[in-house]
Coordinates of all heavy atoms in Angstrom, one line a residue:
T1 N -14.9 -3.1 3.1 CA -13.5 -2.7 3.2 C -12.6 -3.8 4.0 O -11.4 -3.9 3.7 CB -13.4 -1.4 3.9 OG1 -14.0 -1.4 5.2 CG2 -14.0 -0.3 3.1
E2 N -13.2 -4.5 4.9 CA -12.5 -5.5 5.6 C -12.0 -6.6 4.7 O -12.7 -7.1 3.8 CB -13.4 -6.1 6.7 CG -12.7 -7.1 7.7 CD -12.7 -8.5 7.2 OE1 -13.7 -9.0 6.7 OE2 -11.6 -9.1 7.3
Q3 N -10.7 -7.0 4.8 CA -10.0 -7.8 3.7 C -10.7 -9.1 3.4 O -10.9 -9.4 2.2 CB -8.5 -8.0 4.2 CG -7.7 -8.8 3.1 CD -7.6 -8.0 1.8 OE1 -7.7 -6.8 1.8 NE2 -7.3 -8.7 0.7
T4 N -11.1 -9.9 4.4 CA -11.7 -11.2 4.1 C -13.0 -11.0 3.4 O -13.3 -11.6 2.4 CB -11.9 -11.9 5.4 OG1 -10.7 -12.1 6.1 CG2 -12.5 -13.3 5.1
Q5 N -13.9 -10.1 3.9 CA -15.2 -9.8 3.2 C -15.0 -9.2 1.9 O -15.7 -9.5 0.9 CB -16.1 -9.0 4.1 CG -17.5 -8.9 3.6 CD -18.2 -10.2 3.4 OE1 -18.2 -11.0 4.3 NE2 -18.8 -10.4 2.3
F6 N -14.0 -8.3 1.8 CA -13.6 -7.6 0.5 C -13.4 -8.7 -0.6 O -14.0 -8.6 -1.7 CB -12.4 -6.7 0.7 CG -11.9 -6.1 -0.6 CD1 -12.5 -5.0 -1.1 CD2 -10.8 -6.7 -1.3 CE1 -12.1 -4.4 -2.3 CE2 -10.4 -6.1 -2.5 CZ -11.0 -5.0 -3.0
M7 N -12.5 -9.6 -0.3 CA -12.2 -10.7 -1.3 C -13.4 -11.5 -1.6 O -13.6 -11.9 -2.8 CB -11.0 -11.5 -0.8 CG -9.7 -10.7 -0.8 SD -9.3 -9.8 -2.3 CE -9.2 -11.1 -3.5
A8 N -14.2 -11.8 -0.6 CA -15.4 -12.6 -0.9 C -16.4 -11.9 -1.8 O -16.9 -12.4 -2.7 CB -16.1 -13.0 0.4
D9 N -16.5 -10.6 -1.5 CA -17.4 -9.7 -2.4 C -16.8 -9.6 -3.8 O -17.6 -9.7 -4.8 CB -17.5 -8.3 -1.8 CG -18.3 -8.3 -0.5 OD1 -19.0 -9.3 -0.2 OD2 -18.3 -7.2 0.2
V10 N -15.5 -9.4 -3.9 CA -14.9 -9.3 -5.3 C -15.1 -10.6 -6.0 O -15.4 -10.6 -7.2 CB -13.4 -8.9 -5.2 CG1 -12.7 -9.1 -6.5 CG2 -13.3 -7.4 -4.7
D11 N -14.8 -11.7 -5.3 CA -15.0 -13.1 -6.0 C -16.4 -13.3 -6.5 O -16.7 -13.8 -7.6 CB -14.6 -14.2 -5.0 CG -13.1 -14.3 -4.8 OD1 -12.3 -13.7 -5.6 OD2 -12.7 -14.9 -3.8
Q12 N -17.4 -12.9 -5.6 CA -18.8 -13.0 -6.0 C -19.1 -12.2 -7.3 O -19.8 -12.6 -8.2 CB -19.7 -12.6 -4.9 CG -21.2 -12.8 -5.1 CD -22.0 -12.4 -4.0 OE1 -21.6 -11.9 -3.0 NE2 -23.3 -12.7 -4.1
L13 N -18.6 -10.9 -7.3 CA -18.8 -10.1 -8.5 C -18.1 -10.7 -9.7 O -18.7 -10.6 -10.8 CB -18.3 -8.7 -8.2 CG -19.1 -7.9 -7.2 CD1 -18.4 -6.6 -6.7 CD2 -20.5 -7.5 -7.8
A14 N -16.9 -11.2 -9.5 CA -16.2 -11.8 -10.6 C -16.9 -13.0 -11.2 O -17.0 -13.1 -12.5 CB -14.8 -12.2 -10.2
Q15 N -17.5 -13.8 -10.4 CA -18.3 -14.9 -10.9 C -19.6 -14.5 -11.5 O -19.9 -15.0 -12.6 CB -18.6 -15.9 -9.7 CG -17.4 -16.6 -9.2 CD -17.7 -17.5 -8.0 OE1 -18.9 -17.7 -7.7 NE2 -16.7 -18.0 -7.4
R16 N -20.3 -13.5 -10.9 CA -21.6 -13.0 -11.4 C -21.4 -12.4 -12.8 O -22.2 -12.6 -13.7 CB -22.2 -12.0 -10.5 CG -23.3 -11.2 -11.0 CD -24.6 -12.1 -11.1 NE -25.7 -11.3 -11.5 CZ -26.1 -11.1 -12.8 NH1 -25.5 -11.7 -13.8 NH2 -27.2 -10.4 -13.0
F17 N -20.3 -11.6 -13.0 CA -20.2 -10.9 -14.3 C -19.1 -11.5 -15.2 O -18.7 -10.8 -16.2 CB -19.9 -9.4 -14.0 CG -21.1 -8.7 -13.3 CD1 -21.1 -8.4 -12.0 CD2 -22.2 -8.4 -14.1 CE1 -22.2 -7.8 -11.4 CE2 -23.3 -7.8 -13.5 CZ -23.3 -7.5 -12.1
N18 N -18.5 -12.6 -14.8 CA -17.5 -13.3 -15.5 C -16.4 -12.3 -15.9 O -16.1 -12.0 -17.1 CB -18.1 -13.9 -16.8 CG -17.1 -14.9 -17.5 OD1 -16.3 -15.5 -16.8 ND2 -17.2 -15.0 -18.8
L19 N -15.8 -11.7 -14.8 CA -14.7 -10.7 -15.0 C -13.5 -11.1 -14.2 O -13.6 -12.0 -13.4 CB -15.2 -9.3 -14.7 CG -15.8 -9.0 -13.4 CD1 -14.7 -8.8 -12.3 CD2 -16.7 -7.8 -13.5
R20 N -12.4 -10.4 -14.4 CA -11.2 -10.7 -13.6 C -11.3 -10.0 -12.3 O -11.2 -8.8 -12.1 CB -10.0 -10.1 -14.4 CG -9.7 -10.9 -15.6 CD -8.4 -10.5 -16.3 NE -7.3 -10.5 -15.3 CZ -6.1 -10.0 -15.5 NH1 -5.9 -9.4 -16.7 NH2 -5.2 -10.0 -14.6
G21 N -11.5 -10.9 -11.2 CA -11.5 -10.4 -9.9 C -10.3 -9.7 -9.4 O -10.3 -8.7 -8.7
D22 N -9.1 -10.2 -9.9 CA -7.9 -9.5 -9.5 C -7.8 -8.1 -10.0 O -7.4 -7.2 -9.3 CB -6.7 -10.3 -9.9 CG -6.6 -10.5 -11.4 OD1 -7.6 -10.4 -12.1 OD2 -5.4 -10.6 -11.9
Q23 N -8.3 -7.9 -11.2 CA -8.3 -6.5 -11.7 C -9.3 -5.6 -11.0 O -9.0 -4.5 -10.7 CB -8.6 -6.6 -13.2 CG -7.5 -7.1 -14.1 CD -6.3 -6.1 -14.0 OE1 -5.3 -6.4 -13.3 NE2 -6.3 -5.0 -14.7
L24 N -10.5 -6.2 -10.7 CA -11.5 -5.4 -10.0 C -10.9 -5.0 -8.6 O -11.1 -3.8 -8.2 CB -12.8 -6.2 -9.8 CG -13.9 -5.4 -9.1 CD1 -14.3 -4.1 -9.8 CD2 -15.1 -6.3 -9.0
A25 N -10.3 -5.9 -7.9 CA -9.7 -5.6 -6.6 C -8.6 -4.6 -6.7 O -8.6 -3.6 -5.9 CB -9.1 -6.9 -6.0
M26 N -7.8 -4.6 -7.7 CA -6.7 -3.7 -7.9 C -7.3 -2.3 -8.2 O -6.9 -1.3 -7.7 CB -5.8 -4.1 -9.1 CG -4.7 -3.2 -9.4 SD -4.9 -1.8 -10.5 CE -5.7 -2.5 -11.9
I27 N -8.4 -2.2 -9.0 CA -9.0 -1.0 -9.3 C -9.6 -0.3 -8.0 O -9.4 0.9 -7.8 CB -10.2 -1.2 -10.4 CG1 -9.5 -1.4 -11.7 CG2 -11.1 0.0 -10.4 CD1 -10.5 -1.9 -12.8
I28 N -10.3 -1.1 -7.2 CA -10.9 -0.6 -6.0 C -9.8 -0.1 -5.1 O -9.9 1.0 -4.5 CB -11.8 -1.7 -5.3 CG1 -13.0 -2.0 -6.2 CG2 -12.2 -1.2 -4.0 CD1 -13.7 -3.3 -5.8
R29 N -8.8 -0.9 -4.9 CA -7.7 -0.5 -4.0 C -7.0 0.8 -4.5 O -6.6 1.6 -3.7 CB -6.7 -1.6 -3.8 CG -7.3 -2.8 -3.0 CD -7.8 -2.4 -1.7 NE -8.1 -3.6 -0.9 CZ -9.0 -3.6 0.1 NH1 -9.7 -2.5 0.4 NH2 -9.2 -4.7 0.8
Q30 N -6.8 0.9 -5.8 CA -6.1 2.1 -6.3 C -7.0 3.3 -6.1 O -6.5 4.4 -5.7 CB -5.8 1.9 -7.8 CG -5.1 3.1 -8.4 CD -4.8 3.0 -9.9 OE1 -4.8 1.9 -10.4 NE2 -4.5 4.1 -10.5
V31 N -8.3 3.2 -6.3 CA -9.2 4.3 -6.1 C -9.2 4.7 -4.6 O -9.1 5.9 -4.3 CB -10.6 4.0 -6.6 CG1 -11.6 5.0 -6.1 CG2 -10.6 3.9 -8.1
D32 N -9.2 3.7 -3.7 CA -9.1 4.0 -2.3 C -7.8 4.7 -1.9 O -7.8 5.7 -1.1 CB -9.2 2.7 -1.5 CG -10.6 2.1 -1.5 OD1 -11.6 2.8 -1.9 OD2 -10.8 0.9 -1.1
A33 N -6.7 4.3 -2.5 CA -5.4 4.9 -2.2 C -5.4 6.4 -2.7 O -4.9 7.3 -2.0 CB -4.3 4.1 -2.9
L34 N -5.9 6.6 -3.9 CA -6.0 7.9 -4.5 C -6.9 8.8 -3.6 O -6.5 10.0 -3.3 CB -6.5 7.9 -5.9 CG -5.6 7.4 -7.0 CD1 -6.3 7.3 -8.3 CD2 -4.3 8.3 -7.1
A35 N -8.0 8.3 -3.1 CA -8.9 9.1 -2.2 C -8.2 9.4 -0.9 O -8.3 10.6 -0.4 CB -10.1 8.3 -2.0
A36 N -7.4 8.5 -0.4 CA -6.7 8.7 0.9 C -5.6 9.8 0.7 O -5.4 10.7 1.5 CB -6.0 7.5 1.4
I37 N -4.9 9.8 -0.4 CA -3.9 10.8 -0.8 C -4.6 12.1 -0.9 O -4.1 13.1 -0.4 CB -3.1 10.4 -2.0 CG1 -2.2 9.2 -1.7 CG2 -2.3 11.5 -2.5 CD1 -1.6 8.5 -2.9
Q38 N -5.7 12.2 -1.7 CA -6.4 13.4 -1.9 C -6.8 14.0 -0.6 O -6.8 15.2 -0.3 CB -7.5 13.3 -2.8 CG -7.1 13.0 -4.3 CD -8.3 12.7 -5.2 OE1 -9.3 12.2 -4.7 NE2 -8.1 12.9 -6.5
Q39 N -7.3 13.2 0.3 CA -7.8 13.6 1.6 C -6.6 14.2 2.4 O -6.7 15.3 3.1 CB -8.4 12.5 2.4 CG -9.0 12.9 3.7 CD -9.7 11.8 4.5 OE1 -9.6 10.7 4.1 NE2 -10.4 12.1 5.5
Q40 N -5.5 13.6 2.4 CA -4.3 14.1 3.1 C -3.8 15.4 2.6 O -3.4 16.3 3.3 CB -3.2 13.0 3.1 CG -3.5 11.9 4.1 CD -2.3 10.9 4.1 OE1 -1.4 11.0 3.3 NE2 -2.4 9.9 5.0
V41 N -3.8 15.5 1.3 CA -3.4 16.7 0.6 C -4.4 17.9 1.0 O -4.0 19.0 1.3 CB -3.4 16.6 -0.9 CG1 -3.3 17.9 -1.6 CG2 -2.2 15.7 -1.3
Q42 N -5.7 17.5 1.0 CA -6.7 18.5 1.4 C -6.5 19.0 2.8 O -6.6 20.2 3.1 CB -8.1 18.0 1.2 CG -9.2 19.1 1.4 CD -9.1 20.2 0.4 OE1 -8.9 20.0 -0.8 NE2 -9.2 21.4 0.9
V43 N -6.2 18.1 3.7 CA -6.0 18.4 5.1 C -4.7 19.3 5.2 O -4.8 20.3 5.9 CB -5.8 17.1 6.0 CG1 -5.3 17.5 7.4 CG2 -7.2 16.4 6.1
A44 N -3.7 18.9 4.5 CA -2.5 19.7 4.6 C -2.7 21.1 4.0 O -2.3 22.1 4.5 CB -1.4 19.0 3.8

């Protein structure tokens, strides 16, 4: 989750699987944001 390590991990996955790292990062961040919103809604 830490930004520097996150980007290093995403870059490694992008190279390993020959995929778009920017898209993978966006997907992970979007899922994290949705989870945070769902958690706040549940708490409320």
